[in-house]
Amino acid sequence: MQCPVLAVDAQRPAAEAIARAAEILRSGGLVAFPTETVYGLGANALDANAVAKIFVAKGRPATNPIIVHVATIDDANNLVSVWPSIAQRLAERFWPGPLTLVLPRAACVPDAVTAGGPTLGIRMPAHPVAHALLQACRLPIAAPSANRSTELSPTLPGHVLAGLGDRIELLLDSGPTAGGIESTVLDLTTNPPRLLRPGLATIGEIEAEIGPIDRGPSDARIARSPGQMRRHYAPNTPIEVVTKSKARVAELTEQGLRVGWMTHMDGERLAAVKITLPSDAIGYAAQMYAALHQLDDASLDRIIVEMPPEGDDWLAIHDRLHRACVGA
Ligand code: TXA
Ligand code: MG
């Protein structure tokens, strides 16, 4: 059975809808809600039983820790055992916004949230609906992306319903999420800080604030973030990311395959379902998951993606596309 869906204005969410969602969270239930990155699957972060429901709903391995969302810097402070000056500086620069800080956890944080580990990932989301919900429930909200484990992240309410509609108590629907790709995860327990997951806040922006960070080789990055399985963010349709996508699409189409084509470059159509994304990183990120969802739902044999440009601004996009291809 599908969960109830409450439409809420993205800028001025109605208090009644927010109050209903907050009540579900306070009583230990699961609510999906929009953030400025992707939709999140929220539970009371201080209630181990509620957090356990997130793992069941997503089919998420217990080894993968969950990001906690807070309304204020003080709330963040209360959930960690140290709040170094670099955290203060980053929080003042990036919060509310798409930067998750990893710090030593406080004793009040249930093991389920941190996957039993010594650290906690924490961020203050910028979306007005997320913010209103945090204020109304007066709780820290544990929230991974609102998709089944390893699958594509949800940027539209329909994505949430397709994956989790029968496993949650409520969806707050405020349309597409603007950012489209997840937060950047930065480990502040090492010196210099280490990038665990590239995301919407770019390395350039972070380094402009605190100087050079450890970008790590991508495999080391993944090993360090315990729950980060390599295959992730993946459609069900086999996917390839290639530099000469037009030729590859033509080749597969000639073989009789039904091909989906995602590119950021102009050019003529082939006998394929083609989606052209913006050629700037912010625009591309905003639409990437929705395009992949659309192609994945189109009963195709293969999805071919034109390799995006290089450069720091494209790092998170490369990371997600790379993982989407693993095991495909
Ligand atoms: O934008 C986002 O970050 C979204 C929205 C809902 O806030 N959330 C999100 O959560 O993407 P999730 O669970 O899908 O991805 C969180 C990533 C995972 O790869 C997890 O391993 C890592 O962050 N992570 C969380 N806590 C961590 C910790 N204490 N140490 C290392 N990695 C952590
Ligand atoms: Mg996720």
Side-chain angles (χ1 to χ4, degrees):
M1 211 186 66
Q2 289 288 62
C3 68
V5 178
L6 282 183
V8 284
D9 188 88
Q11 295 309 317
R12 297 170 180 276
E16 309 82 69
I18 296 296
R20 185 162 154 205
E23 189 44 46
I24 292 172
L25 291 175
R26 293 201 68 84
S27 59
L30 300 183
V31 174
F33 63 97
T35 80
E36 75 279 26
T37 60
V38 300
Y39 274 81
L41 174 59
N44 175 359
L46 301 177
D47 178 345
N49 289 326
V51 174
K53 291 181 189 170
I54 291 178
F55 286 86
V56 174
K58 283 187 59 112
R60 185 178 177 102
T63 49
N64 196 357
I66 295 181
I67 296 170
V68 171
H69 300 68
V70 293
T72 67
I73 291 184
D74 276 350
D75 292 343
N77 221 312
N78 289 332
L79 297 172
V80 297
S81 60
V82 287
W83 181 257
S85 57
I86 196 167
Q88 181 68 24
R89 194 158 170 188
L90 288 166
E92 283 175 7
R93 162 71 179 79
F94 288 96
W95 287 3
L99 178 65
T100 296
L101 303 177
V102 171
L103 286 160
R105 68 192 275 199
C108 62
V109 179
D111 274 346
V113 173
T114 68
T119 62
L120 176 69
I122 197 161
R123 83 179 187 97
M124 188 196 299
H127 197 293
V129 172
H131 186 73
L133 185 57
L134 282 162
Q135 292 221 304
C137 71
R138 304 183 145 276
L139 290 168
I141 301 178
S145 51
N147 53 279
R148 303 264 186 106
S149 190
T150 79
E151 294 186 355
L152 289 169
S153 293
T155 59
L156 289 170
H159 300 158
V160 179
L161 288 178
L164 297 173
D166 58 347
R167 297 162 180 228
I168 60 181
E169 287 184 45
L170 182 68
L171 165 64
L172 292 178
D173 167 358
S174 60
T177 57
I181 206 164
E182 300 85 348
S183 67
T184 305
V185 180
L186 188 67
D187 186 353
L188 295 184
T189 68
T190 62
N191 190 9
R194 184 185 303 212
L195 183 69
L196 297 180
R197 178 178 72 177
L200 262 194
T202 65
I203 290 195
E205 293 168 327
I206 294 168
E207 292 191 331
E209 191 62 31
I210 58 169
I213 62 170
D214 178 357
R215 302 170 173 218
S218 67
D219 281 351
R221 231 174 29 220
I222 292 158
R224 173 83 195 185
S225 204
Q228 286 206 349
M229 303 130 291
R230 260 163 56 76
R231 178 175 167 80
H232 213 129
Y233 314 104
N236 294 310
T237 314
I239 174 170
E240 297 173 23
V241 182
V242 300
T243 47
K244 293 200 171 78
S245 63
K246 188 180 161 200
R248 183 68 177 143
V249 169
E251 181 188 351
L252 293 174
T253 306
E254 273 161 33
Q255 289 171 20
L257 269 62
R258 290 159 303 170
V259 181
W261 186 15
M262 185 169 103
T263 177
H264 57 283
M265 306 210 289
D266 292 330
E268 75 262 52
R269 301 190 64 87
L270 296 169
V273 182
K274 183 181 177 192
I275 298 180
T276 305
L277 296 183
S279 56
D280 66 291
I282 291 174
Y284 190 108
Q287 294 178 30
M288 178 179 77
Y289 282 130
L292 289 172
H293 274 286
Q294 193 183 327
L295 293 175
D296 204 21
D297 292 342
S299 306
L300 301 166
D301 300 308
R302 197 75 55 88
I303 298 171
I304 302 300
V305 179
E306 175 67 29
M307 185 76 73
E310 297 295 328
D312 287 352
D313 292 353
W314 292 86
L315 196 63
I317 290 163
H318 278 279
D319 173 79
R320 303 303 188 276
L321 288 175
H322 178 72
R323 289 171 201 264
C325 294
V326 174

